Amino acid sequence: MSLLVDACYGREISRTPVWLMRQAGRYLPEYMKIRRQHGFHAMMSEPDLITEISLQPIQRFNMDAAILYSDILVIPEAMGINFRLVPGTGPVFENPVKRKDKIMKLNPPNPRKLFHVLKGVHQLRKELSPEKALIGFAGAPWTIATYMVEGKPSKDYRYIRSLAHTEPKAFHFLMEVLTKGIIQFVTEQVKAGADVIQIFDTNAAYISRDFFETNCLPYLKRIVAAVKKTGAPLILFVKGGNWYDIFKELGVEVVGLDWNLSLGEVRKKLGEDISLQGNLDPAILLTSEEIIHRETIKVLESYGAGNRHIFNLGHGITPDVQPDAVETVVETVKSESPKFHASNTKDSVLVG
Ligand code: CP3
């Protein structure tokens, strides 16, 4: 068993597990070397490359988990809605599904188009050492839908926010198709060897609690229930959606926090039978070794003593980060976190 899976269930562990969102990415020179040769889409489609890239941060920093190198937008691609990665902009869809007639004609994701990802998961699990967890993932239906409908990153996603009201039938049709596709995809990822599933609802930052409850939550509930059936724990990362009472009720094992909340306060509100992941501000990685060390300790202290914290950032690593900054975070978590765990009685903050 891995430290990460143990932390998902609150089992006794000797230190806090650590991995970072976007740990396999452009801040790594070894990633850029492959990127220049192959390009983003080829990298996500070739099981050998998926495996190699996912392992890069493990080899360099000895993280406690590998996250599958892929993207939440492989699901729209499996539905025939393709994107290009435009430098300085991000993913841009050539044919977004802006109108009702187009949405109502969408087909479910074609499993054959996702097979190479599952092959990557299988290969990765074989090559990853057993004490490291393999994290599979998918986007939440809302976040995937925002990209498919808007067609590109937006400052407020107001087009789809209005469409949900003006064309509810089309909106719910899209959410339904995505939900079924996501359930199938994450179930297959667990079968292929993923130990944990993380669901990214990054664009929940743009909606109200009421919108979330009405338009997103019913779909997330079905995804959570489906992941439970696989036996793998689920990490739900809902950026900017600070509706933690709802997430607890959903029954997820882990809630991922972005950096605008305090781990300690959320822990107090949610109690001791759910784990928390997060939440160092990614901008701290652009500061000095001394500040990174200090702020990493602050995150550990904010959670406090206990077995239910998974160290991470509040969002992904940005490409301008120096690898040494990541090294400092990982080393600090490894050296400073044992005292937050009861099994290390000598220096434990639980003693005295
Ligand atoms: O290391 C990891 O975290 C695993 C791989 C991963 C990627 N994307 C690789 C990637 C994961 C888990 C994602 C999730 C993802 N993708 C989300 C949800 C989380 C988040 O960050 O908000 C979203 C919204 C996407 C959509 C997406 N894909 C965007 C907005 C971008 C451009 C962002 C940017 O930084 O330019 C991508 C491309 C992407 N996905 C890259 C990587 C490493 C950059 C690819 C490159 O240029 O080489």
Side-chain angles (χ1 to χ4, degrees), residues 58-87:
I58 313 299
Q59 279 151 358
R60 194 189 257 260
F61 307 112
N62 201 15
M63 309 261 187
D64 294 308
I67 182 161
L68 166 71
Y69 179 74
S70 182
D71 198 86
I72 64 164
L73 301 178
V74 297
I75 289 203
E77 295 215 313
M79 297 164 78
I81 311 293
N82 299 318
F83 72 96
R84 282 179 306 129
L85 210 51
V86 177

Side-chain angles (χ1 to χ4, degrees), residues 19-26 31-32 35 40 43-44 67-73 83 85 89-91 137 143 147 153 200 202-203 237 239 315-316 319:
W19 72 279
L20 305 181
M21 289 187 274
R22 284 285 160 93
Q23 64 188 24
R26 286 162 294 178
Y31 175 91
M32 287 312 293
R35 176 78 157 85
F40 180 57
M43 287 157 78
M44 288 194 303
I67 182 161
L68 166 71
Y69 179 74
S70 182
D71 198 86
I72 64 164
L73 301 178
F83 72 96
L85 210 51
T89 304
F137 71 90
T143 293
Y147 282 95
F200 288 90
T202 312
N203 286 352
F237 175 68
K239 191 167 183 301
H315 198 193

